[in-house]
Amino acid sequence: MNFLRAIIGQTLRNLRRTWSSQALTLLTITLSVLIFSFFFLIYINMINAGRHMGDNLRLIVYLDEEPGKPLQDEYRRKILKFDRVERIEFVSSRQAYERFRKQLGHDQDVLEGMPRNFLPPSIEVYPIRSLATLTRIKRFSDYLQTLPGVLKVQYGREWIDRFYSFVKLMRVVVILSGLLLLLTTTFMVAHTIRLTLCSRERELELLRLLGASNQYIRAPFFLEGALQGLVGSICGLAALYVFFDWFRLRFAGTAVLNLFPFTFFPIPVVLTIITAATLLCAGGSFFSTRRITRL
Amino acid sequence: MNFLRAIIGQTLRNLRRTWSSQALTLLTITLSVLIFSFFFLIYINMINAGRHMGDNLRLIVYLDEEPGKPLQDEYRRKILKFDRVERIEFVSSRQAYERFRKQLGHDQDVLEGMPRNFLPPSIEVYPIRSLATLTRIKRFSDYLQTLPGVLKVQYGREWIDRFYSFVKLMRVVVILSGLLLLLTTTFMVAHTIRLTLCSRERELELLRLLGASNQYIRAPFFLEGALQGLVGSICGLAALYVFFDWFRLRFAGTAVLNLFPFTFFPIPVVLTIITAATLLCAGGSFFSTRRITRL
Amino acid sequence: MTANSPRVMVELIKVSKTYPPSVHALQDVSLSVRSGEMLFLTGKSGAGKTTLLRLLCRSEVPDKGLVEVAGQDLERISGSGLQQLRRRIGMAYQDFRLLPRHTVAQNIALAMEVAYRKPSFIRKRTRELLERLRLSDKYHTPAGELSRGEQQRIAIARALANRPDLVLADEPTGNLDRETSTLVMELFREHEEQGATLIIATHDRELFDDGGHRVVELRDGRLLAPEDGEDTGSGDASLQSEEADQ
Amino acid sequence: MTANSPRVMVELIKVSKTYPPSVHALQDVSLSVRSGEMLFLTGKSGAGKTTLLRLLCRSEVPDKGLVEVAGQDLERISGSGLQQLRRRIGMAYQDFRLLPRHTVAQNIALAMEVAYRKPSFIRKRTRELLERLRLSDKYHTPAGELSRGEQQRIAIARALANRPDLVLADEPTGNLDRETSTLVMELFREHEEQGATLIIATHDRELFDDGGHRVVELRDGRLLAPEDGEDTGSGDASLQSEEADQ
Ligand SMILES: Nc1ncnc2c1ncn2[C@@H]1O[C@H](COP(=O)(O)OP(=O)(O)OP(=O)(O)O)[C@@H](O)[C@H]1O
Ligand SMILES: Nc1ncnc2c1ncn2[C@@H]1O[C@H](COP(=O)(O)OP(=O)(O)OP(=O)(O)O)[C@@H](O)[C@H]1O
Ligand SMILES: [Mg+2]
Ligand SMILES: [Mg+2]
């Protein structure tokens, strides 16, 4: 009882006495969470966009003749044997012709008088959209080539290469920025803790000399840290959400939003970030007092 | 003489005595310059990439008949009257046919038996590649439509919209990250100065009471700040260059490098950054002592 | 001597303390203080008085020798044992060690709070001490805004607040006038009567010239031949110190 | 009195100083000190001695009244004028204000460096002062590692280093034994003989009981009726202070 009262009393008194430095720490944590989650959000949406763009990803297997139902099943089985794919579609000569006509657009009159089946039938294979698949696409293509009755396998090699390198590039950029910011954040937090400890060193040393127990000294730091982590991360995420909302409004209706379907973190991720920040701050300020309890 | 000796002596002594906090400040400045120039570099390269991508940007003006030399000059004059453009190219029916054939690739046999001039002649207008131009492209197109003998004006509207929104998006992202980082950096530097001043407050107050002149107190801070700005910005830029080099090696030969022609800052920009950092740090630490000289 | 006394509060046996690189602050000091005794420790500036007191609350550890407080060997004591012991010791530091931003009341309360005393007890005791030291009107003043003499009294009040078994006072009247010193000494005597052991380091002869209290003198880190038949100190202490003075 | 003296170093006329919210540290204090005089300032703890000294080097400004040092009105003095004046004043603070990480020599040198003295002069003077105060062996020791009495002597050495015209010493012997106090007083007398004006705030009667120096007493912020016919102080000071004591 007396212990709890003393601890909570001391925490409240500390918060009141050192509110300016507390505000500084809070700002630091808010900024750190904001920065971290900002880049995390960009990364997540980039991955999403990658998926989205990957919709265009397919291998076209040209066949020498229209396959019947049993042959189709045979092909399907063989393809699935090599790798899991998302979708397999059979395109007849007729369907191919229609598509080509549409692609030509206002030039479609050039096709007049051509036989409707001058294009070969094909199988369109949509691999699972992941970076791992992209790296294996060459092998996949080689495998498909070996299937019986296959004339030629085509895929947007150049486009895939480009997309793949672009994603790699973005990954490096995001990871580099992330590292840089992690460095900065760690540095800032360490700085802040140092500042706090410096300004309270005399007080803590005195408490030691007066015979304060370890819990009496450290519990307020733990509470303070937890409180700051909680409030700071909530503020940071709220700020990010405001940004995000403004951002979405700003680009509402433009082509970009079709390209990148922006989404905010789902609730579990939000909760995880808040919990992690709270535990980190509480733990951090708890452990930073370890040196002192050894006096 | 005595003054200079005293000042330099004091600066050196300070640097020696507070080297750990000095190292911290140096690290802060290095990080700040690194972060700033990192994003600046990305921004610059993004703008470059935008230019590069803009190479595909053109308006195609379909004409009802092949223009003769005088008519070509007439067109050129009228187009230039509306806006400065980068290049104007006249494409005859024949040339258009050849191009279309190439585009069809392995399907070019469909063109067999078609007359070589079934496609209309056209003028290809390459606007100056800048974002400003992109915003005016619709008006440009409308203007071209009014020229005599023009059948139809075509341009990659969807593509341009996408590209334009993408650049806008990236601009917002870069500006947001920039703002966030500016906030962080400012905060860190203020933090560091606060830390330094706190730890030296008693010393400075004492100097005041001993009757030290303003120069005696402030000159060492100025020298220290300038030194730290100089060394810190050089370190930061050097670190960025190392990153950059590794980055370019990592992506050497991939399609991305064709898409984004990465370049480092030119020498004048490097010098400007260093000078600005030096002046900022010197000025910052000089002005931060203003409060003290008022005691 | 040690064997005769009813209970021994402080026991130092051949204690030496050397600060790096080679400041011999204490050399072969042996001293025992009975429970309930008031002992004065004198000596020139730099003789080692503060160092001796710091050994007793283990803010400093000796290089050699045994330090026992309340029967506990300070070298072997556990973490929580030390904390409990420290709550039974009240030290008034020579440099006060007040928290300048905290109010006078908070500074004094600190010593009682770490022992988890009840708030009502803390308030009562704080008021009582301030009353006794003529500082009632400074109750809510931040300690940093007091005059040095006032700060010194707060430091003493904090040392006594918890009614400790052992009071260590380091130069408790250095910044006080005669009249205020008397107030402080009265407080000390009262605690002595209530059974506390007090060790007071001072150079102010007026504090101990009147009474029948034991006085020991440090000279250059050695205990001098005792004034009232103590068996502590080494015979050649004065000779050694004269050499060191050169 | 002021008119008769050959030159007046310090002149206070009806000076009052109140700390917020309502601590009347000084009330209507008038005092003048001749150039070359050694003046003792006494008074109970909290009487306002330190406040008076702080007014003289303008670490504090008065609420009312005139403060003149070396003929200059401290309220009207310019920034660089104040700096020059401060270099002619040496103050030994009651709380020392040493830089704990700097060595003893650096602490003392500071006072001379701000006046742009030659390094050779600084070294010589530092050694001389440390010699006189028996601290030669602490030359390279960080000030934070000294005993309080040693720190006090360093603070005094720093105050005297620049051979100031006005020396303000606040409780200069509070942490010193009799013998060491004598060393310090000898130094002070030497500077008095060389023409310096000294104001020494102390509660140690032994410092001034022997000599024919003027002693003024503060009580609760008012100057008491002077002991040697000074025209300063108000008649009802003692009455006021008795009221305040309640
Ligand atoms: N910075 C301050 N803020 C508020 N009150 C103050 C401040 N400094 C001193 N006082 C108050 O002013 C009064 C006079 O203080 P001063 O330090 O001048 O006393 P003093 O005579 O030097 O006492 P001592 O002998 O204890 O040093 C005291 O009551 C003190 O509490
Ligand atoms: N932390 C330290 N580091 C190094 N030397 C120290 C330290 N503390 C004290 N000393 C030295 O040890 C010796 C004894 O110091 P101590 O503080 O015990 O003296 P003291 O008797 O209390 O003196 P005073 O009356 O001046 O307070 C002195 O010479 C001092 O310089
Ligand atoms: Mg001492
Ligand atoms: Mg005082």
Side-chain angles (χ1 to χ4, degrees):
Chain A
M1 243 341 269
N2 275 346
F3 171 73
L4 261 188
R5 189 163 40 198
I7 295 298
I8 293 176
Q10 229 212 329
T11 310
L12 288 182
R13 242 178 297 144
N14 281 345
L15 287 179
R16 221 174 315 138
R17 185 171 310 111
T18 58
W19 66 266
S20 74
S21 131
Q22 299 284 346
L24 226 72
T25 315
L26 200 66
L27 191 62
T28 310
I29 294 169
T30 303
L31 268 178
S32 309
V33 170
L34 181 58
I35 286 170
F36 169 78
S37 49
F38 178 70
F39 277 85
F40 191 47
L41 191 64
I42 288 184
Y43 186 69
I44 279 189
N45 275 299
M46 208 188 65
I47 295 288
N48 272 348
R51 288 249 175 84
H52 202 72
M53 281 172 160
D55 277 350
N56 293 323
L57 178 62
R58 61 178 173 192
L59 294 113
I60 304 176
V61 184
Y62 291 101
L63 303 174
D64 54 1
E65 57 187 34
E66 207 91 37
K69 188 76 183 130
L71 200 56
Q72 284 191 7
D73 290 344
E74 173 81 12
Y75 276 127
R76 200 183 292 274
R77 208 176 46 71
K78 283 196 172 151
I79 292 172
L80 286 175
K81 214 176 76 189
F82 181 82
D83 208 349
R84 284 173 56 230
V85 297
E86 193 163 300
R87 194 152 52 93
I88 298 175
E89 224 168 63
F90 292 87
V91 179
S92 64
S93 282
R94 192 67 176 266
Q95 286 165 326
Y97 176 83
E98 284 302 320
R99 262 200 223 159
F100 184 55
R101 208 164 60 85
K102 277 206 197 101
Q103 269 171 28
L104 281 180
H106 71 281
D107 296 322
Q108 58 186 254
D109 33 342
V110 301
L111 293 181
E112 248 156 54
M114 304 286 290
R116 302 256 146 150
N117 62 348
F118 81 101
L119 290 169
S122 59
I123 315 177
E124 295 188 344
V125 180
Y126 293 84
I128 288 187
R129 287 159 301 180
S130 77
L131 293 181
T133 316
L134 286 176
T135 55
R136 278 204 307 272
I137 204 124
K138 175 89 175 63
R139 278 206 294 141
F140 200 9
S141 155
D142 290 348
Y143 169 76
L144 292 175
Q145 187 72 66
T146 65
L147 296 185
V150 167
L151 280 179
K152 184 179 169 189
V153 180
Q154 223 189 28
Y155 64 94
R157 173 184 234 123
E158 197 195 347
W159 183 86
I160 284 177
D161 273 4
R162 269 192 186 199
F163 175 70
Y164 183 50
S165 326
F166 180 74
V167 169
K168 269 207 307 201
L169 171 86
M170 279 307 280
R171 193 152 59 176
V172 170
V173 167
V174 166
I175 286 176
L176 273 191
S177 336
L179 266 181
L180 219 58
L181 285 166
L182 212 70
L183 216 70
T184 314
T185 320
T186 314
F187 183 68
M188 267 168 68
V189 170
H191 226 59
T192 311
I193 287 185
R194 201 187 129 168
L195 201 74
T196 315
L197 280 188
C198 256
S199 69
R200 299 190 49 192
E201 203 171 21
R202 291 179 64 199
E203 183 180 345
L204 294 176
E205 199 195 329
L206 181 70
L207 284 176
R208 255 2 259 164
L209 290 176
L210 292 176
S213 62
N214 285 347
Q215 299 92 294
Y216 183 86
I217 295 182
R218 300 175 79 179
F221 274 91
F222 183 81
L223 281 183
E224 252 179 64
L227 209 68
Q228 285 181 333
L230 187 71
V231 177
S233 58
I234 289 177
C235 289
L237 283 173
L240 184 65
Y241 188 77
V242 171
F243 267 172
F244 172 78
D245 218 46
W246 169 82
F247 200 75
R248 209 163 38 174
L249 264 178
R250 175 109 167 64
F251 285 94
T254 64
V256 173
L257 270 195
N258 303 330
L259 214 64
F260 300 100
F262 288 114
T263 54
F264 200 67
F265 301 119
I267 297 290
V269 174
V270 169
L271 291 183
T272 308
I273 291 179
I274 291 178
T275 313
T278 308
L279 288 182
L280 257 172
C281 289
S285 60
F286 187 68
F287 279 107
S288 68
T289 55
R290 211 167 32 159
R291 198 170 56 79
I292 283 144
T293 56
R294 289 225 200 82
L295 281 175
Chain B
M1 241 340 267
N2 275 347
F3 172 72
L4 259 190
R5 187 161 43 195
I7 294 299
I8 292 175
Q10 229 213 329
T11 309
L12 288 182
R13 243 178 296 145
N14 280 344
L15 287 178
R16 223 174 313 138
R17 186 172 309 111
T18 59
W19 66 267
S20 75
S21 130
Q22 299 283 345
L24 226 70
T25 315
L26 199 66
L27 191 62
T28 309
I29 294 168
T30 303
L31 268 177
S32 309
V33 170
L34 180 57
I35 286 171
F36 170 77
S37 48
F38 178 70
F39 277 84
F40 190 47
L41 191 63
I42 288 184
Y43 187 68
I44 279 188
N45 275 297
M46 208 188 64
I47 296 287
N48 271 349
R51 288 247 176 85
H52 202 71
M53 282 172 159
D55 277 352
N56 292 322
L57 178 61
R58 60 179 174 191
L59 294 115
I60 305 176
V61 182
Y62 292 102
L63 303 174
D64 55 1
E65 56 187 34
E66 209 91 37
K69 189 77 183 125
L71 201 55
Q72 284 189 8
D73 289 344
E74 174 78 11
Y75 277 127
R76 200 182 293 275
R77 206 175 48 73
K78 284 199 172 150
I79 292 173
L80 285 175
K81 213 175 73 187
F82 181 81
D83 208 350
R84 283 175 54 232
V85 298
E86 192 162 303
R87 195 151 49 94
I88 295 174
E89 224 168 64
F90 290 87
V91 180
S92 64
S93 282
R94 193 67 177 264
Q95 286 165 325
Y97 176 84
E98 285 302 321
R99 261 199 223 161
F100 184 55
R101 209 164 60 86
K102 275 205 198 107
Q103 268 172 33
L104 280 179
H106 71 281
D107 296 321
Q108 60 187 251
D109 31 346
V110 302
L111 292 182
E112 247 157 56
M114 304 285 289
R116 302 256 145 151
N117 62 350
F118 81 101
L119 291 169
S122 57
I123 319 176
E124 295 187 346
V125 179
Y126 293 83
I128 288 186
R129 288 159 303 178
S130 77
L131 293 180
T133 317
L134 285 176
T135 58
R136 279 204 306 272
I137 204 123
K138 176 88 177 62
R139 278 207 290 141
F140 202 6
S141 156
D142 290 346
Y143 169 75
L144 293 176
Q145 187 72 64
T146 65
L147 296 184
V150 167
L151 279 180
K152 185 180 168 187
V153 180
Q154 224 188 27
Y155 64 94
R157 176 187 229 119
E158 199 194 347
W159 183 88
I160 283 176
D161 273 3
R162 272 191 184 200
F163 175 70
Y164 183 49
S165 318
F166 181 74
V167 168
K168 267 205 310 201
L169 172 86
M170 281 305 283
R171 193 154 58 175
V172 170
V173 168
V174 166
I175 286 176
L176 274 190
S177 337
L179 265 181
L180 220 57
L181 285 165
L182 211 70
L183 217 69
T184 313
T185 319
T186 314
F187 184 67
M188 268 167 66
V189 169
H191 226 59
T192 311
I193 286 183
R194 202 189 127 163
L195 202 73
T196 315
L197 280 188
C198 255
S199 68
R200 297 190 52 192
E201 202 171 22
R202 292 178 63 199
E203 181 179 345
L204 294 176
E205 199 196 327
L206 181 70
L207 283 176
R208 247 15 248 165
L209 290 176
L210 291 177
S213 63
N214 285 346
Q215 302 93 293
Y216 182 86
I217 295 182
R218 299 175 81 177
F221 274 90
F222 183 81
L223 281 182
E224 255 180 63
L227 211 67
Q228 285 182 331
L230 188 71
V231 176
S233 58
I234 289 177
C235 288
L237 284 174
L240 184 66
Y241 189 77
V242 170
F243 268 170
F244 172 79
D245 218 47
W246 169 83
F247 200 76
R248 207 163 39 177
L249 262 179
R250 173 108 167 64
F251 284 94
T254 65
V256 174
L257 270 194
N258 303 330
L259 213 64
F260 300 101
F262 288 113
T263 52
F264 200 67
F265 301 120
I267 297 290
V269 174
V270 168
L271 290 184
T272 308
I273 292 179
I274 292 178
T275 313
T278 307
L279 287 182
L280 257 172
C281 288
S285 59
F286 187 69
F287 279 107
S288 68
T289 55
R290 208 166 35 156
R291 199 172 54 80
I292 283 144
T293 56
R294 289 228 200 82
L295 281 174
Chain C
M1 180 80 197
T2 304
N4 300 351
S5 59
R7 223 175 111 228
V8 177
M9 192 55 169
V10 169
E11 178 88 71
L12 298 174
I13 299 178
K14 291 220 168 248
V15 172
S16 295
K17 172 74 194 174
T18 303
Y19 289 109
S22 64
V23 183
H24 301 294
L26 289 179
Q27 293 183 59
D28 281 337
V29 171
S30 300
L31 175 70
S32 89
V33 184
R34 282 191 320 280
S35 199
E37 188 181 354
M38 188 193 278
L39 176 87
F40 287 93
L41 187 66
T42 74
K44 284 209 323 190
S45 173
K49 303 182 290 295
T50 301
T51 305
L52 200 153
L53 295 185
R54 280 157 63 83
L55 289 180
L56 294 184
C57 60
R58 232 194 66 166
S59 357
E60 208 74 72
V61 286
D63 299 323
K64 272 202 316 236
L66 176 85
V67 182
E68 266 187 24
V69 175
Q72 292 181 281
D73 181 351
L74 288 195
E75 210 172 345
R76 300 242 184 77
I77 203 166
S78 72
S80 67
L82 178 63
Q83 285 157 17
Q84 245 131 39
L85 183 65
R86 275 179 175 163
R87 286 183 217 159
R88 295 173 54 198
I89 303 176
M91 176 141 175
Y93 294 92
Q94 199 172 4
D95 49 357
F96 311 163
R97 304 216 180 182
L98 300 177
L99 302 176
R101 301 280 191 80
H102 290 56
T103 68
V104 164
Q106 284 169 345
N107 267 287
I108 297 176
L110 219 53
M112 293 178 275
E113 263 170 23
V114 299
Y116 305 125
R117 299 276 195 175
K118 283 211 200 77
S120 58
F121 173 85
I122 293 178
R123 265 194 301 276
K124 198 169 134 275
R125 181 75 177 144
T126 305
R127 287 207 185 281
E128 181 197 348
L129 282 166
L130 287 179
E131 190 74 34
R132 292 293 303 271
L133 293 167
R134 305 263 164 89
L135 286 172
S136 297
D137 53 332
K138 303 286 182 192
Y139 192 89
H140 292 295
T141 311
E145 293 183 3
L146 297 179
S147 83
R148 291 296 284 179
E150 288 161 348
Q151 287 179 0
Q152 185 151 44
R153 282 177 276 165
I154 304 302
I156 292 165
R158 190 180 59 193
L160 298 177
N162 228 354
R163 295 201 177 278
D165 297 328
L166 175 61
V167 177
L168 307 174
D170 200 353
E171 204 76 79
T173 60
N175 289 278
L176 299 181
D177 52 292
R178 186 78 9 244
E179 205 177 317
T180 318
S181 299
T182 314
L183 289 179
V184 171
M185 284 311 292
E186 269 167 25
L187 256 185
F188 282 157
R189 280 212 196 89
E190 212 174 281
H191 281 78
E192 185 198 6
E193 276 157 28
Q194 287 164 9
T197 312
L198 290 99
I199 302 181
I200 300 171
T202 187
H203 65 257
D204 190 353
R205 303 208 146 260
E206 286 183 48
L207 288 191
F208 53 78
D209 267 357
D210 55 334
H213 293 290
R214 184 149 68 108
V215 179
V216 295
E217 185 175 347
L218 274 170
R219 196 171 292 173
D220 290 306
R222 291 179 186 273
L223 266 193
L224 272 200
E227 295 181 23
D228 52 354
E230 274 291 312
D231 58 353
T232 51
S234 47
D236 55 349
S238 55
L239 195 135
Q240 286 260 341
S241 68
E242 268 165 36
E243 279 173 12
D245 262 358
Q246 306 302 307
Chain D
M1 179 85 200
T2 304
N4 301 351
S5 59
R7 222 175 109 227
V8 177
M9 192 54 170
V10 170
E11 179 88 69
L12 297 176
I13 298 178
K14 290 215 169 254
V15 171
S16 296
K17 172 74 194 172
T18 303
Y19 290 108
S22 65
V23 183
H24 301 293
L26 289 180
Q27 293 182 59
D28 280 338
V29 170
S30 300
L31 175 71
S32 88
V33 183
R34 284 192 317 280
S35 201
E37 187 180 357
M38 187 192 280
L39 176 87
F40 287 93
L41 187 66
T42 74
K44 284 210 320 190
S45 171
K49 304 182 290 296
T50 303
T51 305
L52 199 152
L53 295 187
R54 280 158 63 83
L55 288 180
L56 294 184
C57 60
R58 230 192 66 163
S59 354
E60 208 73 71
V61 286
D63 299 322
K64 275 204 313 236
L66 177 84
V67 181
E68 266 188 23
V69 175
Q72 292 180 282
D73 182 352
L74 289 195
E75 211 173 344
R76 299 242 187 76
I77 203 167
S78 72
S80 67
L82 179 63
Q83 286 155 17
Q84 244 129 41
L85 182 64
R86 275 179 175 162
R87 287 181 216 158
R88 292 173 55 198
I89 303 177
M91 175 142 175
Y93 295 92
Q94 200 172 3
D95 50 356
F96 310 162
R97 304 217 181 181
L98 300 177
L99 302 176
R101 302 281 191 78
H102 290 56
T103 68
V104 164
Q106 284 169 346
N107 266 287
I108 297 176
L110 219 53
M112 293 179 275
E113 265 170 22
V114 299
Y116 306 123
R117 300 278 194 172
K118 281 211 202 79
S120 57
F121 173 85
I122 293 178
R123 265 194 301 277
K124 196 166 136 280
R125 179 77 176 142
T126 305
R127 287 205 185 280
E128 179 196 348
L129 282 166
L130 286 179
E131 190 76 34
R132 293 292 304 271
L133 293 166
R134 303 267 164 88
L135 287 171
S136 296
D137 52 333
K138 304 285 182 191
Y139 192 89
H140 291 296
T141 311
E145 296 183 1
L146 297 180
S147 84
R148 290 296 284 180
E150 288 161 350
Q151 288 179 1
Q152 185 151 45
R153 281 176 277 165
I154 304 303
I156 292 165
R158 190 182 58 195
L160 298 177
N162 228 356
R163 296 198 177 279
D165 296 329
L166 175 62
V167 177
L168 307 174
D170 198 353
E171 206 73 78
T173 60
N175 289 279
L176 298 181
D177 52 291
R178 185 77 11 243
E179 203 176 318
T180 319
S181 298
T182 314
L183 289 179
V184 171
M185 283 312 293
E186 269 168 24
L187 255 184
F188 282 157
R189 281 216 194 86
E190 210 175 281
H191 281 78
E192 184 199 5
E193 275 158 27
Q194 287 164 11
T197 311
L198 290 98
I199 302 182
I200 301 171
T202 186
H203 64 259
D204 191 353
R205 304 207 146 261
E206 286 185 49
L207 287 191
F208 52 79
D209 267 358
D210 55 334
H213 293 291
R214 183 151 69 113
V215 180
V216 296
E217 185 175 346
L218 275 171
R219 197 171 290 174
D220 291 305
R222 290 179 185 276
L223 265 193
L224 272 201
E227 295 179 25
D228 50 357
E230 274 291 312
D231 59 351
T232 52
S234 47
D236 57 346
S238 55
L239 194 133
Q240 286 259 344
S241 67
E242 268 165 35
E243 278 174 8
D245 263 359
Q246 303 306 305

